[in-house]
């Protein structure tokens, strides 16, 4: 099949979302994807989902930004073409999944979940797109993704959640998550569809 243009998914500036995920000297994160499902993707990518590209940049080096990105020549799903929008960063407190918490905290968490919701866990399963934080493991047991370059446990960088507001639907209304090496941002990232 012929190549197609990558689609911009997110562009985040360090000033808008400071945190431990930023490498030294980097102040711009760009996430793009191929708007087609890939059944045999590269090793670090998720099956049956768009193939992602993560770009760490210095904003000062972007001297000729595209005012209109090229349209893809083909795409499998409308849900892989996010609507252009501006987001407002909202800091939230995110907690590890309940099974990753120390055993002595779990009863209190269960109590908080009962007090704050309709039975859904809105404390350790924050919905939506997010930079950093903790991954939800509501479909599987918690998993550690070791960095393929150095073996360090990778951390969650970004979550693309299926969302009617953005028009993005991944998998069966799931989350596409990008994990990166906390030791070196140049190491290969890992994508998971949950």
């Amino acid at each position: 099949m012929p190549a197609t243009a990558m689609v911009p998914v997110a562009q985040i500036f360090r000033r808008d979302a400071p945190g431990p995920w930023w490498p030294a000297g980097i102040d711009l994160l760009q996430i793009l994807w191929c708007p087609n499902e890939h059944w045999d993707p590269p090793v670090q990518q998720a099956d049956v989902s768009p193939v992602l590209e993560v770009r760490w940049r210095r904003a000062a080096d972007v001297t000729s930004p595209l005012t209109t990105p090229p349209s893809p020549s083909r795409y499998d799903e409308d849900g892989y073409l996010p609507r252009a929008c501006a987001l407002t960063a909202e800091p939230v407190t995110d907690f590890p999944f309940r099974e990753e918490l120390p055993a002595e905290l779990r009863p209190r968490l269960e109590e908080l979940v009962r007090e704050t919701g309709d039975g859904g866990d809105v404390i350790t399963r924050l919905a939506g797109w997010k930079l950093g934080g903790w991954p939800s493991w509501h479909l599987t047991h918690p998993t550690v993704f070791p960095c393929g370059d150095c073996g360090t446990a990778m951390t969650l960088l970004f979550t693309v959640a299926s969302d009617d507001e953005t028009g993005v639907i991944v998998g069966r209304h799931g989350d596409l998550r990008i994990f990166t090496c906390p030791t070196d941002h140049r190491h290969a990232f890992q994508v998971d569809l949950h």
Side-chain angles (χ1 to χ4, degrees):
M1 288 193 164
T4 191
M6 298 289 276
V7 174
V9 174
Q11 177 169 280
I12 304 161
F13 291 91
R14 183 182 205 137
R15 67 178 180 264
D16 297 328
W21 41 81
W22 291 100
I26 300 293
D27 61 353
L28 176 60
L29 169 63
Q30 295 174 320
I31 300 170
L32 303 104
W33 69 25
C34 173
N36 295 286
E37 288 185 342
H38 293 263
W39 291 83
D40 190 19
V43 124
Q44 83 272 18
Q45 303 278 347
D47 283 335
V48 194
S49 65
V51 167
L52 287 133
E53 191 171 313
V54 174
R55 294 182 182 168
W56 296 102
R57 304 177 80 176
R58 287 178 4 98
D61 295 341
V62 182
T63 57
S64 301
L66 294 174
T67 54
T68 306
S71 296
S73 57
R74 61 183 174 79
Y75 56 91
D76 290 340
E77 304 285 339
D78 288 337
Y80 295 153
L81 297 174
R83 290 194 243 351
C85 63
L87 301 174
T88 301
E90 181 179 337
V92 295
T93 302
D94 196 14
F95 294 98
F97 190 59
R98 65 182 168 268
E99 292 178 16
E100 295 178 284
L101 290 171
E104 63 271 13
L105 293 179
R106 291 181 194 165
R108 178 65 183 126
L109 172 65
E110 290 171 12
E111 184 180 322
L112 280 171
V113 168
R114 280 193 302 276
E115 291 172 4
T116 59
D118 57 2
D121 183 353
V122 296
I123 295 172
T124 66
R125 285 187 53 202
L126 290 177
W129 291 41
K130 66 181 180 178
L131 178 65
W134 297 91
S136 169
W137 298 106
H138 60 281
L139 297 177
T140 63
H141 291 288
T143 301
V144 173
F145 294 105
C147 174
D149 294 302
C150 70
T152 303
M154 298 177 107
T155 55
L156 181 64
L157 173 66
F158 195 75
T159 301
V160 176
S162 293
D163 178 345
D164 292 332
E165 185 78 18
T166 61
V168 171
I169 306 297
V170 290
R172 294 181 179 160
H173 287 270
D175 295 344
L176 195 66
R177 301 159 335 164
I178 304 168
F179 292 84
T180 57
C181 180
T183 304
D184 191 334
H185 74 283
R186 294 168 295 197
H187 290 177
F189 59 90
Q190 176 72 45
V191 180
D192 172 63
L193 181 59
H194 194 77

